[in-house]
């Protein structure tokens, strides 16, 4: 009798063919406004207890993706399923209850906290939105979660202006933790902090992940931050995932010219790098109906086939995907960073 392997657990988060279109400002009274693809066919999944990093330059669709995962906007197409539930098919009451499982930490620790509210009211806000607990129980819950993020119980009655930037981000993380979520979406959570404070906050996030089994989606432009915290990385360009894989492999063997360009932007002089053309991406590059590879206008390897036919995200190695017709040629180039030089991993 053949022994059967136990069935694998379903993903915590499943994103399928996610798209988001926005109308452009009307340029002509006699023509309908144009549209832009902020996201175009994004699909990925995330297992419980794991972390996914989303990287790319400004305008690549990272924050739009975060808002759709949080169900703050309704997508133009595709679906977001959390714990098997399609968030965009839930009623308002069902979505309100589902929000206990997914919370968000924002980029600006100064602007994301109401300066007129005490810390305990700020941290307790998600609980009040869910209609949980009385005042005494809420204060006990807030005191406990503040201790978990390295703050003290007396801090509950202070105001945000009494804390440093790193402490404010700890308050924001406490607010996200208060409902005991399964997933936290962190949009550039350390970019506004000093480097030394960044390390403290990242260490805290890693400790909380190990202690509570949290999953993180980390939106960042900082490759070193993603390398530190994430089990998998997705590189986005103009609303599409162009490369995806584990950070050890993706950063050492980048197979897409855009990923190489991001790695070459890490301050380290190297010869033989694949550098993009200097044309900046424009909104028209995301216009509906545009043919070919979205990176072709900036890619030094692009040819006629690239400009006419859009590449699909295909497997080029174990747990390594790339959307590039020239992926094999890119892999044949020297590595964009020497191991342990520009990106230094401090994984536990």
């Amino acid at each position: 009798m053949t022994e059967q392997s136990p069935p694998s657990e379903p993903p915590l988060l499943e994103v399928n063919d996610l798209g988001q279109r926005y109308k452009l400002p009307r340029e002509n009274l006699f023509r309908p406004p144009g549209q832009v693809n902020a996201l175009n066919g994004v699909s990925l999944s995330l297992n419980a207890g794991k972390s996914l990093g989303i990287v790319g330059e400004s305008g690549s669709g990272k924050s739009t993706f975060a808002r759709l995962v949080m169900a703050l906007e309704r997508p133009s197409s595709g679906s977001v399923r959390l714990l098997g539930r399609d968030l965009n098919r839930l009623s308002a009451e069902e979505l309100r209850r589902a929000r206990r499982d997914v919370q968000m930490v924002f980029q600006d620790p100064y602007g994301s906290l109401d300066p007129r509210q005490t810390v305990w009211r700020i941290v307790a806000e998600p609980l009040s939105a869910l209609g949980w607990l009385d005042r005494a129980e809420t204060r006990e819950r807030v005191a406990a979660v503040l201790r978990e993020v390295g703050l003290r119980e007396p801090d509950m009655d202070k105001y945000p202006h009494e804390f440093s930037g790193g402490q404010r981000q700890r308050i924001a993380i406490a607010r996200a933790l208060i409902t005991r979520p399964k997933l936290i979406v962190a949009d550039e959570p350390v970019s506004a902090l000093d480097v030394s404070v960044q390390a403290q906050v990242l260490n805290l996030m890693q400790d909380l992940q190990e202690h509570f089994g949290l999953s993180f989606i980390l939106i960042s432009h900082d490759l070193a931050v993603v390398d530190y915290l994430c089990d998998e990385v997705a590189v986005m360009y103009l609303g599409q995932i162009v490369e995806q894989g584990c950070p050890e492999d993706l950063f050492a063997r980048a197979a897409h010219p855009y990923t190489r360009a991001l790695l070459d932007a890490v301050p380290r002089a190297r010869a033989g790098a694949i550098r993009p053309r200097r044309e900046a991406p424009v909104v028209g590059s995301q216009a509906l109906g545009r043919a070919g590879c979205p990176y072709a206008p900036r890619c030094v390897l692009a040819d006629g086939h690239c400009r006419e036919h859009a590449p699909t995200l295909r497997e080029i190695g174990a747990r390594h995907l790339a959307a590039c017709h020239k992926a094999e040629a890119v892999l044949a180039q020297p590595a964009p960073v020497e191991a342990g030089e520009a990106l230094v991993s401090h994984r536990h």
Side-chain angles (χ1 to χ4, degrees), residues 101-170:
D101 294 318
V102 55
Q103 294 290 322
M104 192 164 189
V105 175
F106 296 93
Q107 175 178 5
D108 183 7
Y110 297 89
S112 64
L113 305 180
D114 188 340
R116 299 165 297 180
Q117 299 287 347
T118 59
V119 168
W120 94 265
R121 289 190 179 276
I122 290 171
V123 174
E125 182 180 6
L127 291 181
S128 59
L130 292 170
W132 288 3
L133 310 179
D134 60 25
R135 181 184 176 93
E137 291 174 320
T138 298
R139 284 185 68 89
E140 289 180 10
R141 188 78 170 263
V142 171
V145 77
L146 287 177
R147 289 193 295 269
E148 288 165 357
V149 300
L151 297 173
R152 301 173 303 134
E153 185 172 339
D155 292 332
M156 280 197 300
D157 297 312
K158 296 180 180 179
Y159 289 84
H161 73 269
E162 300 179 68
F163 298 90
S164 67
Q167 289 173 322
R168 292 187 194 199
Q169 201 61 301
R170 288 174 184 265

Side-chain angles (χ1 to χ4, degrees), residues 24-83:
L24 296 173
R26 186 186 292 270
E27 297 180 352
N28 190 313
L29 290 175
F30 303 101
R31 295 180 183 175
Q35 290 186 317
V36 63
N37 265 337
L39 284 183
N40 187 14
V42 173
S43 297
L44 50 80
S45 63
L46 178 64
N47 292 328
K50 300 295 184 180
S51 293
L52 170 69
I54 308 289
V55 301
E57 62 194 346
S58 298
S60 60
K62 306 187 302 296
S63 294
T64 299
F65 176 80
R67 291 194 298 272
L68 295 183
V69 168
M70 291 293 301
L72 300 177
E73 297 181 13
R74 184 174 292 273
S76 303
S77 59
S79 63
V80 177
R81 302 182 71 88
L82 180 69
L83 294 169

